[in-house]
Amino acid sequence: MEYKAMDDSTVKKGVTLEDPHTEDLSQEVRGFIFSRILDRKPELTSEVMAFRDYLLSATVSDTLDVWELKDLGHQTAQRIVHASDPLQSMQEINQNFPSIVSSLSRTKLNDSIKDEIIENQRMIPPGKSLLALNGALINVEDIDLHSLVDMVHLELSLADQYRKLQIPPSGVRKFLSVLPPSESYAFRVDFRSPHVHYINNLEEDAMYKRWRSNINEILMPVFPGQLRYIRKNLFHAVFILDPASLSGLEAIDTIISLFENNLPMRFGVILYSEKLVEKIEENDGELPVAHLKDDQDDISSLVMRLFLHIKENHGALMAFQFLSNVNKLRVESAAEDSLEMHQVEGAFVETILPTATSPPQETLLKLEKDQTLSELSHESSVFAFKLGLAKMGCSLLMNGLVYEPNEEALINAMNDELPRIQEQVYYGQINSHTDVLDKFLSESGVQRYNAKIIADGKVKPKFVSLCASILAKESILNDLYYLHSPETMDDLKPVTHLLVVDMTSKKGMKLLREGIRYLISGSKIARVGVLFNANKDATLPSLVFMKAFEMTTSSYSHKKGVLQFLDQLCSFYEQEYILASVDTKSYQKIIDRVFQLADANGLPSKAYESSLPGFSAENLTSYLNKVAQFLFRTIGVESGINAVVTNGRVIQLLEGSTFLSHDLHLLESLEFKQRIKHIAEIIEEIKWDDVDPDVLTSKFISDVVMAISSSSSTRDRSSESARFEILSAEYSAVIMQNEHASIHIDAVIDPLSSSGQKLSALLRILSKYVQPSMRLVLNPVSSLADLPLKNYYRYVVPTTDDFSGTDHTVNGPTAFFSNMPLSKTLTMNLDVPEPWLVQPLVAIHDLDNILLENLAETRTLQAVFELEALVLTGHCSEKDHEPPRGLQLILGTRNTPHLVDTLVMANLGYWQMKVFPGLWYLQLAPGRSNELYVMREDGEGGQDSTLSKRITIDDLRGKLVHMEVKKRKGMEREKLLVPVDDDDSHSTTKKGSQNGWNSNILKWASGFIGGKDQSKKEANSSLEPKSGGRYGKTINIFSVASGHLYERFLKIMILSVLKNTHRPVKFWFIKNYLSPQFKDVIPHMAHEYGFEYELITYKWPTWLHKQKEKQRIIWAYKILFLDVIFPLALEKVIFVDADQIVRTDMGELYDMDLKGRPLAYTPFCDNNKDMDGYRFWKQGFWKDHLRGRPYHISALYVVDLVKFRETAAGDQLRVFYETLSKDPNSLSNLDQDLPNYAQHMVPIFSLPQEWLWCESWCGNATKSKAKTIDLCNNPMTKEPKLQGAKRIVTEWPDLDLEARRFTAKILGENIEEPQEQIVPPHQIESTNEDSSSEDNESKAEL
């Protein structure tokens, strides 16, 4: 705590409060067990409890001797384990630890507890806390009551559904413990084939002979960015490309360039013809015979034939050189877009001429008609098509993993793959004789790639639960009949594909036929069901087709020729009624065709003859409507949309996307391997004792697998687990058995930790309301050197007591602290869920400096807090590039698109904005961001880009949004941030030019700072007077204060600015730490004195190392978030410390030319020689680091926000902070040390010395020239700031009196007129504050 940070204003009286909570009186307090005393003397209850309260408040210990601390963790564990209610005991200990610690330290320790804890800590670090719900780990740091209740509710709901499926309790527990697939599970495309052409082989080529062949070299440390040159094919970069396309030829140049630069990688290509692939698609995935006879016009096929010939006769290197020559001739002829035949022929002649034995032209003529090479080129295109990569244009496979085909992505892919190989080398799974490619592709290879099926991690697959639909009696799924591969009808089918088919569209019929072909090709573990989803009113022929199809699946799906019958029927129906324009009312033709096909395929045509002619169109239409309702409500698919639903996973097929039988095979293998296999294995082990054997059909069990796999996939839970069972739990664990519980909690807890405080409360709530089975292993730190907890803690939980029993009043949940130490200065802090922005609403007292003995006889205080808003956070990415730092985002409603704005940080592409529940739209801000980038559509979107992203905030957990952007066409090489290189040109650029990177944003955002009305005034700000007769451009001043004393200083600073500045002023205050009184007074003050103000806030990002002390958090807010805490329209801001007095017009500083630097600070004075011993920056580390640069004071500084954002200074400061802050000895004066440390990367303009004077460092000689006076702490005298202010600044008492009178008038209070004598500094005695905090404070100004 600072030397004296308490306000000396009149202390308000407390309010008498009653403790609503009951405490465990059986716990010993200073040798007394009060439950026994009360049993004996019940008539003295009030006196005995008063005595207990006195003992508790008097036993608060700041320190213990080392020998008392040594076993404190083990003693705590012993008391918890031996308590009658262990959870209550743990909660009372860690939430009142300062009062209980003395008693704990005197507990006689049982060695068996200590030995077991130490034994367990061989397997888990001491003090580590873990929590798992039904086997899945939960992040202990992020967990809160709302998310935990949601998780538990979902588990209970699933357990209830599984029981209704007649699954026994043991099976239910196993299903609930199934973990989702790991996100890091990488599927590799198995591209091994003769159609891969490599340019090199690291293991055989002579050019690599000098490289080392020992695979263990990969484990050797190297400098960052340095490559390991090992003579082994570890990295295979294979490009799939069309050699006649622009992107394909550019990829060839990339390959040759990297190959010539000896990159330790094996390069290869798979060639295909885009024209041929399109024709294969049109021909239902088969090679068209017509194209084989006549493909002379296909340049891609010609290039492939010539490439194959050169490779066979002249070697791979010359073949790749031929492709490079093709691109060279294309570029030289300025034919940027398309390749011409003569360029290919010219490149061929140029390539083989030096080594040719016969004229190249003759060879060329022969090759153009060579049938063998033609077939090989066609097979290569078919192979690329079957891999699924031909539709992606040009793509890159790194050991089978799919990436963008550019050099940056290739290097990133290599760096991603390296640790995977290193791990397997380390564990001996890869040695010098291992074929790395074969190993990886055999373990996790798939035969085909489809981006919709193999999600890349950024877009999560969509899952829906089908469990409720299967349980419903009149459900569509219960009336559905399935198709099977031949002779597999009676087998268990764990994989269920539901094809949602619009039978009135060509695309829908294509999907249906592919599904049938998928079954014809054979699948032993999958079945196919068809749900017809008509886009418009179904025609009579389509209803007949549907009737025939359903009749076939329901009655004849076991017949041998049923799949051929349906395939032929689909083909006929498509040709006659969808592709051809025929009379939609005439359906006799299709009925006749059904009869013919039934006879041809061994199906009874008479059954069709009796049912089809008299079908009821009304019944079929009604059924279609029922299906449409099911699809919309359960699956989330609109009418007319084609989709595939595989065990609850929904893949919508929109325009432009194809889905072949190969994709169904891929979907089957992927889903079975990742999600369904574990469930099917559990199903096979279940003993269905209570189920009627007649019900136990393969269809019933297949339905159960589909229900469970779909419902379990909707859970958002971690794929990580821990082996809790290996930890001993005989003496040091709390075990609560409940055989019938659906919820099982495994936990490892350090009871004397901040996470232990939270977990003990949450587990107690669960234990009370859910009765789960629990196994809690206690894991305290074994040898403590300091008190592990120095706070009192309460977890606030809503209860029924919050609601009034007599009226509609809701009191709200409360935290009650009793028996608190009277003579200790306390600070109130909140530990709230990450997405919450909580502010104090009512607080009479200073919550930063609570001293109960000053609160009169009642010695109580109360405060009311409110949830003000939620935080919307997100990560923005650009595929295969670094996050687009500096990208500007706006958020608003449909009618008002811009309500909030922010920047994307370089750190993880992070951004955040303040929101309320409702519907929001996220967009790229107009200007450079929108000109360069476009948002990519996620999920099942048909189009590749979108203008806005809709975000629904419908609960109190906020939202984490993953968004992806891509560069607009033609803007790929443009940079988002274009800094001005010449320092002197900065001022001219800003004043004269409108081409600045955010000049456009200033126009539309000018109104955002001050609201709609303000924007109109801004337009003529230099002409119209502001309130108080102020003219000119507004000066923006930023400050932060916490506690009543600093708020008092802040009002004085405001008055000193206003009395000396003639232009309009707008103040920006960080809202997080302001008291309710200040927020009540500041609007009246703004009106009275004629200034504007805005309260701003920013939530500390979860990924950034967090400070624990409130003072250091406040310091961090001064410097870490300057680029994102203000609206984007703000160009410049001046920070002025709350305890500063301004004596000049701040317009002079606001208009000062900073020479292109983002920050301007005043260097520390050095003319007060008495303080030389305290100038730490002139010696040791700081002297060496600064190298002649000045060390600046952080009480006053200017931020050029335009320059600050365009140079990404905020990102650089956060990187330095993250690196340094983890060392507790670094950044002792955070807001000041950080910019001074980073000034070689974030340059600082040094302000003239007169801009900041403080007595401690400057001395009285220069005081008369001072433009601002700061009340720096004096590490020599340790004079309290309030006392120093009255002595140092002559105008301070008058400004203080003015501010206090105004505050009293607004709040309706009386103030005492000050009659205090100023004490000379030599008479001041040092206060008895904690020496460690003095040392921190004495380094420099606060």
Side-chain angles (χ1 to χ4, degrees):
M1 186 179 169
E2 206 180 327
Y3 308 128
K4 188 165 187 244
M6 295 193 70
D7 193 359
D8 64 354
S9 306
T10 306
V11 178
K12 301 170 181 66
K13 291 184 179 181
V15 182
T16 305
L17 300 171
E18 291 183 9
D19 186 353
H21 300 289
T22 57
E23 297 182 69
D24 184 3
L25 300 178
S26 63
Q27 297 291 342
E28 176 260 354
V29 179
R30 299 289 289 272
F32 295 97
I33 299 178
F34 282 88
S35 59
R36 295 182 184 175
I37 297 173
L38 289 174
D39 287 343
R40 293 172 185 171
K41 300 285 184 182
E43 70 278 4
L44 298 176
T45 298
S46 58
E47 291 89 341
V48 170
M49 291 305 291
F51 176 55
R52 181 176 182 271
D53 292 347
Y54 168 75
L55 289 179
L56 283 171
S57 61
T59 54
V60 177
S61 301
D62 287 336
T63 57
L64 288 178
D65 293 320
V66 177
W67 58 87
E68 292 179 293
L69 281 169
K70 184 167 172 274
D71 288 324
L72 194 58
H74 301 142
Q75 290 165 320
T76 303
Q78 180 172 312
R79 181 172 288 191
I80 292 168
V81 170
H82 291 165
S84 57
D85 186 342
L87 291 177
Q88 182 182 353
S89 176
M90 184 176 3
Q91 189 174 359
E92 286 183 0
I93 289 170
N94 59 28
Q95 300 198 354
N96 301 289
F97 186 72
S99 297
I100 293 173
V101 63
S102 294
S103 166
L104 279 172
S105 66
R106 294 194 297 272
T107 304
K108 187 179 178 182
L109 184 61
N110 184 337
D111 286 339
S112 57
I113 288 181
K114 181 177 179 178
D115 294 342
E116 185 172 274
I117 290 172
I118 292 171
E119 179 68 26
N120 283 338
Q121 288 176 348
R122 292 180 181 177
M123 291 169 277
I124 189 166
K128 174 82 172 174
S129 291
L130 294 173
L131 179 68
L133 174 66
N134 283 342
L137 283 177
I138 299 171
N139 189 329
V140 172
E141 301 302 321
D142 295 343
I143 190 66
D144 59 70
L145 183 62
H146 295 87
S147 55
L148 185 62
V149 166
D150 285 351
M151 288 182 206
V152 169
H153 181 266
L154 182 56
E155 298 290 308
L156 292 172
S157 172
L158 288 179
D160 185 51
Q161 289 180 349
Y162 295 168
R163 278 192 285 269
K164 288 178 181 175
L165 288 169
Q166 303 183 52
I167 294 169
S170 59
V172 171
R173 280 195 293 276
K174 286 180 182 177
F175 286 130
L176 291 175
S177 300
V178 171
L179 296 175
S182 170
E183 288 183 8
S184 62
Y185 193 95
F187 280 95
R188 300 170 186 268
V189 179
D190 190 347
F191 61 88
R192 291 172 292 181
S193 158
H195 300 295
V196 183
H197 308 287
Y198 290 105
I199 192 174
N200 62 336
N201 187 330
L202 274 65
E203 296 174 9
E204 297 176 5
D205 293 354
M207 63 185 290
Y208 306 112
K209 270 187 178 176
R210 293 190 176 184
W211 292 11
R212 296 186 181 186
S213 57
N214 185 357
I215 187 74
N216 291 316
E217 293 277 331
I218 202 168
L219 301 175
M220 299 296 287
V222 296
F223 291 109
Q226 184 179 343
L227 299 173
R228 294 168 176 83
Y229 293 92
I230 301 171
R231 195 172 172 212
K232 185 156 181 64
N233 296 320
L234 300 175
F235 305 99
H236 299 72
V238 174
F239 289 78
I240 293 88
L241 54 91
D242 181 343
S245 68
L246 178 63
S247 59
L249 292 171
E250 285 179 347
I252 293 293
D253 282 351
T254 301
I255 291 171
I256 292 175
S257 167
L258 295 172
F259 164 71
E260 290 174 347
N261 282 299
N262 279 342
L263 194 73
M265 187 179 290
R266 193 177 191 197
F267 295 99
V269 293
I270 297 172
L271 304 177
Y272 71 91
S273 161
E274 195 173 331
K275 282 185 181 176
L276 181 53
V277 165
E278 286 175 1
K279 292 190 176 179
I280 291 172
E281 280 201 331
E282 290 170 9
N283 198 41
D284 293 336
E286 301 296 329
L287 196 62
V289 180
H291 187 82
L292 300 183
K293 295 176 182 174
D294 183 24
D295 65 346
Q296 300 302 316
D297 296 334
D298 188 354
I299 297 180
S300 301
S301 292
L302 173 62
V303 175
M304 288 160 68
R305 290 201 295 274
L306 299 181
F307 174 87
L308 292 168
H309 169 78
I310 297 172
K311 184 190 174 191
E312 188 178 330
N313 294 280
H314 302 277
L317 194 56
M318 192 177 283
F320 277 86
Q321 192 56 53
F322 158 66
L323 295 177
S324 182
N325 289 341
V326 170
N327 193 38
K328 185 180 76 173
L329 290 178
R330 180 190 64 80
V331 173
E332 287 174 357
S333 65
E336 286 296 321
D337 294 329
S338 59
L339 192 65
E340 295 177 8
M341 192 72 81
H342 67 86
Q343 293 162 355
V344 176
E345 294 169 348
F348 177 76
V349 171
E350 184 182 329
T351 305
I352 69 165
L353 190 58
T355 56
T357 54
S358 60
Q361 287 83 354
E362 290 181 13
T363 310
L364 187 62
L365 288 170
K366 288 179 186 174
L367 292 175
E368 286 178 352
K369 297 175 182 178
D370 189 294
Q371 195 60 35
T372 308
L373 291 179
S374 179
E375 286 175 7
L376 282 172
S377 68
H378 293 151
E379 286 172 12
S380 185
S381 292
V382 171
F383 179 67
F385 167 76
K386 285 184 176 175
L387 285 180
L389 293 161
K391 286 292 286 180
M392 297 173 66
C394 181
S395 54
L396 161 67
L397 295 177
M398 168 58 72
N399 287 352
L401 298 173
V402 182
Y403 289 89
E404 289 288 313
N406 58 61
E407 188 174 335
E408 184 184 352
L410 187 144
I411 299 299
N412 288 340
M414 184 181 179
N415 291 333
D416 289 345
E417 189 77 330
L418 177 63
R420 299 186 192 111
I421 297 174
Q422 284 175 320
E423 182 183 358
Q424 298 208 23
V425 170
Y426 180 82
Y427 288 111
Q429 294 163 357
I430 290 177
N431 57 45
S432 296
H433 304 291
T434 307
D435 187 321
V436 174
L437 185 67
D438 280 352
K439 178 176 172 55
F440 281 167
L441 295 183
S442 300
E443 288 173 354
S444 57
V446 293
Q447 301 301 316
R448 180 173 170 80
Y449 180 83
N450 185 321
K452 280 184 172 295
I453 297 171
I454 302 176
D456 58 4
K458 288 174 187 150
V459 179
K460 285 191 174 181
K462 178 185 174 184
F463 291 102
V464 296
S465 174
L466 301 174
C467 201
S469 302
I470 289 169
L471 288 169
K473 288 182 180 177
E474 296 184 4
S475 166
I476 290 292
L477 293 183
N478 288 334
D479 298 334
L480 192 64
Y481 291 90
Y482 295 93
L483 295 169
H484 307 260
S485 286
E487 300 178 4
T488 67
M489 184 174 177
D490 294 329
D491 299 342
L492 166 65
K493 297 292 172 55
V495 180
T496 302
H497 298 296
L498 297 176
L499 304 185
V500 180
V501 173
D502 175 11
M503 73 274 196
T504 61
S505 70
K506 180 184 175 184
K507 196 169 185 59
M509 292 310 299
K510 169 75 174 165
L511 173 62
L512 183 53
R513 292 192 68 191
E514 290 297 331
I516 294 169
R517 288 179 184 185
Y518 157 74
L519 291 175
I520 291 173
S521 64
S523 171
K524 292 182 179 179
I525 59 169
R527 58 182 183 166
V528 172
V530 180
L531 294 168
F532 290 105
N533 183 26
N535 187 22
K536 48 188 182 292
D537 291 337
T539 59
L540 288 175
S542 63
L543 291 176
V544 171
F545 167 76
M546 188 178 86
K547 175 68 178 174
F549 195 98
E550 301 228 331
M551 189 177 163
T552 307
T553 54
S554 62
S555 303
Y556 309 117
S557 57
H558 59 286
K559 295 279 186 181
K560 192 174 180 181
V562 67
L563 296 176
Q564 285 74 16
F565 166 77
L566 291 174
D567 186 40
Q568 293 162 14
L569 177 62
C570 290
S571 178
F572 173 79
Y573 169 72
E574 185 179 356
Q575 292 294 330
E576 291 292 327
Y577 291 98
I578 294 179
L579 301 179
S581 54
V582 296
D583 182 8
T584 56
K585 292 180 182 178
S586 170
Y587 57 85
Q588 190 56 46
K589 203 172 182 183
I590 190 171
I591 289 180
D592 295 340
R593 189 66 174 171
V594 168
F595 302 158
Q596 294 170 16
L597 292 174
D599 285 334
N601 288 285
L603 300 183
S605 57
K606 288 185 178 178
Y608 290 102
E609 288 173 11
S610 62
S611 300
L612 277 184
F615 77 97
S616 166
E618 189 179 333
N619 288 348
L620 289 173
T621 308
S622 171
Y623 175 73
L624 275 177
N625 291 335
K626 193 177 173 185
V627 170
Q629 284 183 8
F630 166 77
L631 291 174
F632 184 75
R633 291 173 182 173
T634 305
I635 313 291
V637 172
E638 296 179 3
S639 63
I641 299 293
N642 299 294
V644 179
V645 183
T646 303
N647 287 56
R649 179 175 175 183
V650 182
I651 298 175
Q652 292 193 35
L653 307 179
L654 303 176
E655 287 304 318
S657 62
T658 56
F659 207 84
L660 307 177
S661 59
H662 306 288
D663 294 304
L664 283 169
H665 280 293
L666 171 64
L667 190 57
E668 173 199 308
S669 64
L670 184 138
E671 287 299 306
F672 183 72
K673 196 180 291 184
Q674 282 197 318
R675 295 192 300 126
I676 304 166
K677 183 180 179 183
H678 311 298
I679 289 164
E681 288 169 352
I682 297 170
I683 284 282
E684 287 175 4
E685 295 172 2
I686 286 179
K687 296 177 180 177
W688 304 88
D689 297 332
D690 301 328
V691 182
D692 184 348
D694 294 338
V695 175
L696 273 177
T697 61
S698 59
K699 180 182 185 302
F700 169 80
I701 298 177
S702 299
D703 283 349
V704 169
V705 175
M706 175 169 68
I708 293 172
S709 57
S710 66
S711 59
S712 64
S713 299
T714 58
R715 294 186 292 179
D716 185 11
R717 66 200 306 243
S718 168
S719 58
E720 295 181 4
S721 61
R723 294 182 59 201
F724 290 93
E725 67 278 4
I726 66 173
L727 299 176
S728 302
E730 189 176 349
Y731 301 106
S732 61
V734 176
I735 297 176
M736 304 169 72
Q737 297 285 7
N738 184 350
E739 290 182 8
H740 303 291
S742 305
I743 306 295
H744 177 72
I745 301 287
D746 274 306
V748 175
I749 301 178
D750 175 7
L752 300 184
S753 66
S754 54
S755 57
Q757 289 178 315
K758 182 164 68 172
L759 285 179
S760 61
L762 290 172
L763 292 176
R764 195 167 171 213
I765 295 163
L766 276 188
S767 174
K768 183 178 177 182
Y769 294 105
V770 184
Q771 289 91 39
S773 60
M774 287 193 194
R775 186 176 185 269
L776 314 179
V777 178
L778 300 179
N779 183 36
V781 175
S782 290
S783 293
L784 291 165
D786 191 13
L787 286 178
L789 294 172
K790 296 182 180 179
N791 64 354
Y792 293 86
Y793 187 93
R794 297 290 182 272
Y795 198 90
V796 179
V797 183
T799 67
T800 52
D801 297 337
D802 299 339
F803 300 89
S804 170
T806 54
D807 54 26
H808 297 292
T809 309
V810 180
N811 300 314
T814 57
F816 197 97
F817 294 84
S818 59
N819 305 318
M820 305 293 282
L822 303 177
S823 57
K824 302 283 183 185
T825 302
L826 307 170
T827 296
M828 185 175 288
N829 265 331
L830 293 181
D831 174 19
V832 298
E834 281 300 332
W836 288 17
L837 286 172
V838 177
Q839 305 290 345
L841 184 65
V842 178
I844 301 170
H845 304 91
D846 185 353
L847 300 181
D848 279 2
N849 303 284
I850 301 168
L851 197 58
L852 291 174
E853 66 184 7
N854 286 353
L855 300 184
E857 293 177 3
T858 54
R859 288 177 178 170
T860 58
L861 64 83
Q862 59 180 337
V864 179
F865 294 86
E866 70 168 349
L867 175 59
E868 183 206 23
L870 299 170
V871 176
L872 174 69
T873 58
H875 298 282
C876 180
S877 61
E878 182 181 359
K879 192 170 183 182
D880 295 316
H881 291 83
E882 293 293 319
R885 70 178 184 184
L887 189 75
Q888 299 176 340
L889 307 175
I890 59 172
L891 184 76
T893 61
R894 182 69 83 186
N895 296 329
T896 314
H898 181 202
L899 288 172
V900 203
D901 54 28
T902 193
L903 288 182
V904 172
M905 295 181 182
N907 315 70
L908 307 173
Y910 177 84
W911 54 269
Q912 71 165 246
M913 298 193 225
K914 190 167 81 169
V915 294
F916 306 100
L919 203 59
W920 298 83
Y921 293 88
L922 180 69
Q923 300 179 52
L924 299 181
R928 191 163 180 80
S929 295
N930 199 30
E931 289 165 8
L932 260 61
Y933 284 94
V934 64
M935 273 200 285
R936 293 190 72 161
E937 182 74 58
D938 56 12
E940 301 292 336
Q943 54 191 36
D944 197 30
S945 62
T946 178
L947 292 176
S948 66
K949 187 180 183 79
R950 191 172 72 175
I951 297 165
T952 307
I953 307 293
D954 54 1
D955 57 35
L956 294 177
R957 288 185 292 164
K959 192 80 80 175
L960 178 64
V961 178
H962 290 278
M963 58 177 289
E964 188 178 347
V965 295
K966 66 173 185 176
K967 290 268 181 73
R968 290 182 182 271
K969 196 168 182 181
M971 295 288 185
E972 289 84 2
R973 302 188 189 280
E974 289 285 324
K975 289 188 177 180
L976 180 63
L977 305 183
V978 189
V980 182
D981 296 326
D982 183 4
D983 288 348
D984 296 328
S985 68
H986 177 68
S987 52
T988 8
T989 306
K990 210 168 71 179
K991 288 174 186 173
S993 168
Q994 286 303 311
N995 296 326
W997 74 285
N998 69 346
S999 57
N1000 291 340
I1001 214 166
L1002 301 178
K1003 296 174 187 174
W1004 52 258
S1006 60
F1008 179 64
I1009 305 179
K1012 293 180 182 176
D1013 299 334
Q1014 184 58 32
S1015 61
K1016 297 173 185 174
K1017 297 179 185 177
E1018 290 286 341
N1020 301 310
S1021 60
S1022 58
L1023 303 175
E1024 295 181 11
K1026 299 265 177 169
S1027 54
R1030 298 177 182 276
Y1031 292 83
K1033 191 174 181 182
T1034 300
I1035 297 166
N1036 292 284
I1037 293 177
F1038 158 52
S1039 195
V1040 58
S1042 180
H1044 287 192
L1045 175 64
Y1046 272 87
E1047 289 176 354
R1048 180 176 170 186
F1049 282 140
L1050 187 57
K1051 293 171 195 168
I1052 295 163
M1053 183 272 283
I1054 292 170
L1055 293 178
S1056 71
V1057 169
L1058 296 172
K1059 289 180 185 296
N1060 292 287
T1061 302
H1062 302 102
R1063 276 160 52 183
V1065 181
K1066 179 165 186 177
F1067 290 97
W1068 300 80
F1069 305 120
I1070 293 186
K1071 188 178 186 180
N1072 304 31
Y1073 301 103
L1074 293 176
S1075 70
Q1077 286 95 321
F1078 185 87
K1079 287 184 276 191
D1080 287 343
V1081 168
I1082 198 68
H1084 299 282
M1085 197 172 179
H1087 183 264
E1088 178 74 17
Y1089 290 96
F1091 65 87
E1092 294 178 71
Y1093 77 95
E1094 189 161 323
L1095 304 180
I1096 50 176
T1097 188
Y1098 198 79
K1099 186 82 174 180
W1100 194 286
T1102 51
W1103 48 264
L1104 193 65
H1105 181 249
K1106 195 162 188 177
Q1107 296 295 322
K1108 293 182 179 175
E1109 295 175 33
K1110 193 171 186 178
Q1111 182 64 64
R1112 291 181 64 78
I1113 295 172
I1114 292 169
W1115 286 347
Y1117 271 105
K1118 283 173 63 174
I1119 187 67
L1120 283 181
F1121 311 115
L1122 293 171
D1123 51 343
V1124 288
I1125 200 168
F1126 299 106
L1128 297 176
L1130 199 62
E1131 292 181 273
K1132 186 182 278 190
V1133 71
I1134 302 172
F1135 177 84
V1136 183
D1137 242 359
D1139 60 349
Q1140 207 156 340
I1141 305 297
V1142 175
R1143 288 184 160 182
T1144 190
D1145 191 329
M1146 293 299 276
E1148 180 187 348
L1149 180 58
Y1150 199 78
D1151 296 337
M1152 188 177 290
D1153 182 5
L1154 306 186
K1155 306 297 181 188
R1157 287 166 171 76
L1159 296 169
Y1161 286 78
T1162 310
F1164 264 95
C1165 304
D1166 56 5
N1167 49 343
N1168 184 357
K1169 301 304 177 188
D1170 294 341
M1171 302 296 290
D1172 282 352
Y1174 295 94
R1175 290 190 170 88
F1176 59 88
W1177 58 91
K1178 297 216 169 185
Q1179 54 199 337
F1181 165 80
W1182 276 107
K1183 183 180 179 182
D1184 296 338
H1185 181 76
L1186 291 171
R1187 295 186 180 181
R1189 292 187 183 91
Y1191 185 87
H1192 303 83
I1193 190 167
S1194 64
L1196 174 80
Y1197 55 89
V1198 187
V1199 188
D1200 181 344
L1201 288 168
V1202 174
K1203 191 73 179 176
F1204 195 87
R1205 289 173 182 140
E1206 75 182 19
T1207 56
D1211 286 320
Q1212 295 182 58
L1213 288 171
R1214 285 185 287 271
V1215 169
F1216 280 117
Y1217 166 80
E1218 185 70 14
T1219 307
L1220 296 171
S1221 62
K1222 290 172 183 175
D1223 178 359
N1225 299 314
S1226 289
L1227 302 178
S1228 55
N1229 206 43
L1230 195 157
D1231 60 317
Q1232 192 164 274
D1233 286 348
L1234 184 61
N1236 279 292
Y1237 179 87
Q1239 59 181 303
H1240 60 289
M1241 292 292 289
V1242 183
I1244 293 174
F1245 176 75
S1246 295
L1247 297 170
Q1249 199 69 63
E1250 64 266 19
W1251 273 105
L1252 195 145
W1253 181 93
C1254 79
E1255 184 186 66
S1256 304
W1257 307 103
C1258 300
N1260 289 317
T1262 55
K1263 183 176 180 181
S1264 58
K1265 297 179 183 177
K1267 295 187 174 181
T1268 70
I1269 294 176
D1270 187 61
L1271 302 175
C1272 301
N1273 289 314
N1274 190 319
M1276 186 184 294
T1277 64
K1278 299 181 174 60
E1279 179 183 16
K1281 284 199 176 185
L1282 205 53
Q1283 195 166 296
K1286 298 168 184 174
R1287 179 181 57 76
I1288 297 167
V1289 188
T1290 52
E1291 65 268 38
W1292 194 92
D1294 293 336
L1295 291 171
D1296 180 41
L1297 187 59
E1298 182 179 346
R1300 290 177 67 193
R1301 281 175 175 165
F1302 182 79
T1303 303
K1305 183 179 78 173
I1306 298 302
L1307 298 178
E1309 297 173 350
N1310 298 319
I1311 64 164
E1312 296 176 13
E1313 298 297 329
Q1315 309 241 338
E1316 298 180 17
Q1317 188 176 355
I1318 296 171
V1319 181
H1322 63 269
Q1323 293 180 2
I1324 298 168
E1325 295 181 5
S1326 297
T1327 57
N1328 294 323
E1329 297 288 350
D1330 184 343
S1331 61
S1332 64
S1333 76
E1334 285 177 6
D1335 290 342
N1336 279 349
E1337 298 290 347
S1338 65
K1339 282 201 165 183
E1341 124 72 24
L1342 276 174

